[in-house]
Amino acid sequence: ALEALSHTRSEEDLADPQVLEVIMYVLKELEDEGNIHCGCEDGGDYELQLGDESVFVVCKKCGKEYEIRANSVSAAQDFLEADEITLH
């Protein structure tokens, strides 16, 4: 299961909390469907971290990550189209 956002930043650090809501919704759906991949044979152990203008999905086992731009509503809407993500 995805762990909560890293405590190094808060949701208020992003310009628009609605953007984070959209991203979190999509990530939850992808996780529920088993569509987050990193290459770990037994599946990853994922956590979310907030950057200045991005949200990162990071595997705590292998360290691979996936960056989701979170600096605009249009970036979040683009992420709505995602049906799976692969960490690199």
Side-chain angles (χ1 to χ4, degrees):
L2 284 172
E3 283 197 15
L5 293 172
S6 170
H7 295 292
T8 57
R9 297 189 178 272
S10 66
E11 293 180 21
E12 291 78 35
D13 289 336
L14 289 176
D16 188 345
Q18 288 181 325
V19 170
L20 185 59
E21 270 186 48
V22 169
I23 290 170
M24 294 298 293
Y25 173 80
V26 174
L27 286 173
K28 181 75 174 116
E29 291 289 308
L30 292 174
E31 181 187 32
D32 289 349
E33 296 167 2
N35 288 328
I36 299 176
H37 312 285
C38 65
C40 289
E41 286 187 23
D42 56 349
D45 183 9
Y46 307 116
E47 69 177 356
L48 301 179
Q49 298 175 353
L50 283 181
D52 288 332
E53 296 185 338
S54 302
V55 174
F56 296 88
V57 179
V58 180
C59 177
K60 294 189 294 183
K61 292 181 181 179
C62 68
K64 291 183 180 180
E65 66 182 28
Y66 185 87
E67 179 181 7
I68 303 156
R69 301 295 294 167
N71 58 345
S72 70
V73 173
S74 63
Q77 287 175 333
D78 289 344
F79 185 61
L80 273 171
E81 306 293 320
D83 52 10
E84 71 178 332
I85 61 172
T86 302
L87 285 56
H88 302 283

